[in-house]
Each structure stands twice: as structure tokens, then as C-alpha cells.
């Protein structure tokens, strides 16, 4: 509402916090307090922060212009797509895109790609392996390892024999789900270890929190050998 009442009287200059988000903040002026600031934002595959005003039928870059009581943003989308553009409003508490925003739809968030790929989100895809360690970059993202360090993705669960059974321990990171699987023959497919096969109070799968987690298979004593593996996945989307 305040954006409409004030027009452009109290608009802060556009801010492009990342290569894919454009923010426009109304700082309230005399009609509201600073705590009630309202920000409009646009998220597109790429924002050209150096674009200039063009008022013509055809143009070759992202452009924008101001008109009386309006602020217009012109977006050109190139390539085969699909393309997604998000428009919204918030209270202007930060100038960052959502951490899971994935403008090129390759399954890897833009922020993670920029961190490990010198700001570039285009050359890292679902089929690339930047450090040639046998793990695809998207697998490194899910595991939480460094796609530029061939040794970082070698997470090895540790197994040990205890009085209660076989214990499986593994490091975790926050925001990932870890499922312990087992099989009694390498020719079989591994299946999740049921919670009822674990020590009381333990469960499977496990949500990571940055610490080492352990589960103990209390039924392993009934077999001569058992093979374990830990599957790492992203948590299911919120409803």
C-alpha cells in the first residue's frame, strides 16, 4: 500500500545484491516508520546491473525505466528455457536471494555454484565433475563436499563391533538426511535398516546437524557378515 501512496518519493536506488535478484526498497518517509519498510523484488536468471534505459520496441539487454508514479522493469529472456521470473514483496530485511534458488534448473542452487565456481552458474551442471574424483558436482552438493577438492567427497562410514551389535558411524552436515542401509550379500540390493533393528532411542533415517551420528544394528549377531552403506539425500520439500 505504501508503495502506491508514496509513488517514487521514498524509493531507495535499485540494488542488485546478486546476479539474479533486483531489489527496490521504499523507506517509508513520513507515512510509516523504518521498521515497516516495504521492498519489491524481481528474481530472474540473470540481472544486468549496467543496463541503461531504452524506450523502443526491440532491445538486447535487461532494461528498466521510471515513469510518473511507477517503476518499470523490462526483462529479456534468451535461450530455449524454461525460464522463471519471480516478483514479490517483503519487509526489506536482507538483500539475498533464497539459498535454494536455482535459476538454471540444474538441481544445484545458484548460491552454491557461485561459491565454488568463481561466481559462474552456467558451466556447472548435473553432468560435470570439477575435480575429477568420480563424484558429479550435483552429488558433491548433496553430500556437502567441495567440488574443487578430490579428497573432500570421500566420506567413509566407520563400522565397529560392540556388545550390542554392529555400530555404524558417519559425519553429517545440517540440511541433509542420512539413511543407513544394509545387505548380507554383495549380490543383493541394500535396503534401509529398520528402526526396530536399532538400539532403543535410535532411528533411521537421521537428520544431519554437523556432528557424527551412530546407529547400532542389534540383529547383526544372527548373521556371519553384513555390509552397510550410508545414503545422503536432501530433505523432502516442506508442504
Amino acid at each position: 500500500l505504501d508503495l502506491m501512496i508514496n509513488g517514487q518519493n521514498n524509493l531507495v536506488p535499485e540494488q542488485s545484491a546478486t546476479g539474479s535478484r533486483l531489489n527496490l526498497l521504499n523507506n517509508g518517509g513520513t507515512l510509516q516508520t523504518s521498521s515497516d519498510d516495504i521492498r519489491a523484488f524481481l528474481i530472474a536468471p540473470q540481472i544486468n546491473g549496467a543496463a541503461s534505459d531504452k524506450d523502443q520496441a526491440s532491445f538486447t539487454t535487461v532494461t528498466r525505466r521510471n515513469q510518473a508514479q511507477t517503476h518499470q522493469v523490462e526483462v529479456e529472456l534468451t535461450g530455449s528455457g524454461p525460464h522463471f521470473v519471480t516478483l514479490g514483496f517483503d519487509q526489506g530485511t536482507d538483500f539475498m536471494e533464497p539459498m535454494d534458488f536455482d535459476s538454471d534448473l540444474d538441481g544445484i542452487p545458484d548460491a552454491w555454484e557461485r561459491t565454488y565456481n568463481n561466481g559462474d552458474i552456467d558451466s556447472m551442471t548435473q553432468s560435470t565433475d570439477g575435480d575429477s574424483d568420480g563424484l558429479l558436482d550435483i552429488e558433491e552438493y548433496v553430500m556437502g563436499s567441495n567440488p574443487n577438492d578430490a579428497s573432500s567427497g570421500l566420506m567413509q562410514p566407520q563400522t565397529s563391533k560392540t556388545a550390542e551389535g554392529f555400530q555404524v558411524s558417519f559425519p553429517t552436515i545440517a540440511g541433509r538426511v542420512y539413511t543407513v542401509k544394509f545387505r548380507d550379500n554383495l549380490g543383493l540390493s541394500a535396503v534401509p535398516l529398520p528402526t526396530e533393528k536399532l538400539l532403543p532411542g535410535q532411528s533411521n533415517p537421521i537428520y544431519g546437524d554437523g556432528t557424527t551420528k551412530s546407529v547400532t544394528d542389534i540383529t547383526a549377531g544372527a548373521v556371519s557378515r553384513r555390509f552397510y552403506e550410508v545414503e545422503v539425500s536432501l530433505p523432502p520439500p516442506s508442504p
Side-chain angles (χ1 to χ4, degrees):
L1 176 62
D2 190 74
L3 282 171
M4 297 176 64
I5 294 175
N6 279 341
Q8 296 185 61
N9 291 335
N10 300 297
L11 294 183
V12 174
E14 293 169 352
Q15 296 188 20
S16 182
T18 70
S20 60
R21 177 164 177 152
L22 182 70
N23 300 302
L24 184 65
L25 180 68
N26 189 313
N27 64 10
T30 59
L31 295 184
Q32 61 184 35
T33 65
S34 60
S35 63
D36 295 322
D37 289 348
I38 300 175
R39 181 181 62 180
F41 63 85
L42 177 146
I43 299 176
Q46 186 172 2
I47 298 293
N48 183 354
S52 59
D53 184 21
K54 288 188 177 182
D55 188 7
Q56 57 189 26
S58 61
F59 52 86
T60 58
T61 187
V62 178
T63 59
R64 49 190 180 267
R65 64 176 179 268
N66 293 328
Q67 298 175 352
Q69 298 300 305
T70 68
H71 192 88
Q72 179 172 327
V73 178
E74 300 177 2
V75 179
E76 179 188 29
L77 301 174
T78 60
S80 58
H83 300 292
F84 295 90
V85 175
T86 301
L87 298 172
F89 295 91
D90 58 27
Q91 292 181 301
T93 56
D94 65 84
F95 290 94
M96 296 298 293
E97 68 191 10
M99 290 302 295
D100 60 351
F101 182 64
D102 179 16
S103 64
D104 54 2
L105 302 178
D106 61 0
I108 311 173
D110 294 356
W112 194 87
E113 290 183 89
R114 291 192 187 97
T115 297
Y116 290 105
N117 205 30
N118 297 319
D120 176 29
I121 68 170
D122 296 322
S123 60
M124 186 178 285
T125 69
Q126 290 189 3
S127 59
T128 55
D129 178 6
D131 53 11
S132 301
D133 62 353
L135 288 173
L136 298 177
D137 291 330
I138 190 170
E139 293 173 326
E140 301 253 21
Y141 161 65
V142 173
M143 289 186 62
S145 52
N146 186 339
N148 301 315
D149 181 355
S151 65
S152 69
L154 302 178
M155 182 193 75
Q156 295 293 335
Q158 301 296 314
T159 58
S160 60
K161 180 72 164 118
T162 70
E164 293 85 5
F166 287 139
Q167 183 182 77
V168 183
S169 302
F170 47 92
T172 70
I173 64 170
R176 298 296 185 270
V177 179
Y178 298 81
T179 303
V180 180
K181 295 185 173 184
F182 79 100
R183 51 186 162 181
D184 293 333
N185 188 308
L186 290 177
L188 301 175
S189 297
V191 296
L193 192 61
T195 295
E196 57 266 23
K197 291 182 179 290
L198 306 178
L199 283 174
Q202 295 183 346
S203 61
N204 187 42
I206 295 172
Y207 280 78
D209 60 7
T211 65
T212 296
K213 301 292 186 180
S214 298
V215 297
T216 299
D217 180 359
I218 60 176
T219 66
V223 296
S224 59
R225 61 182 180 181
R226 179 160 285 178
F227 304 91
Y228 297 93
E229 62 185 61
V230 179
E231 179 183 86
V232 187
S233 61
L234 299 175
S238 301

